[in-house]
Amino acid sequence: MGRVRWSVRQGRIGEFDAPELMDGFRSLNPVHEPKLGELLRLPDGSGPWRVVDWAVADRADAPGNVLVVEPFAA
């Protein structure tokens, strides 16, 4: 399984058109993609962000691959 290229968007569950934080995000581990509830930091150092929703298109590099995240405060 290759790494999926994600558009990371800050929003709520189901808000796949939410404002984009980053395009082209790929998880660090090529076998493990982000899961619901997982915390992640973006390459620009922002975060942590909690994954609240996702959608995957038919290709690993398709623009329809979206991670929806919300800020996480411990």
Side-chain angles (χ1 to χ4, degrees):
M1 176 175 169
R3 287 191 269 178
V4 174
R5 181 175 162 237
W6 298 97
S7 169
V8 180
R9 298 173 178 267
Q10 182 178 351
R12 298 180 187 168
I13 295 172
E15 288 187 320
F16 297 107
D17 61 347
E20 187 173 70
L21 296 171
M22 179 183 182
D23 183 33
F25 174 76
R26 293 181 193 264
S27 63
L28 298 176
N29 185 332
V31 177
H32 170 72
E33 298 299 342
K35 306 225 182 312
L36 294 179
E38 185 171 335
L39 300 180
L40 57 91
R41 289 197 181 273
L42 298 180
D44 67 1
S46 67
W49 300 96
R50 180 175 31 200
V51 177
V52 295
D53 208 349
W54 56 269
V56 178
D58 58 350
R59 294 187 339 258
D61 64 345
N65 298 329
V66 177
L67 282 179
V68 181
V69 298
E70 65 183 11
F72 179 80

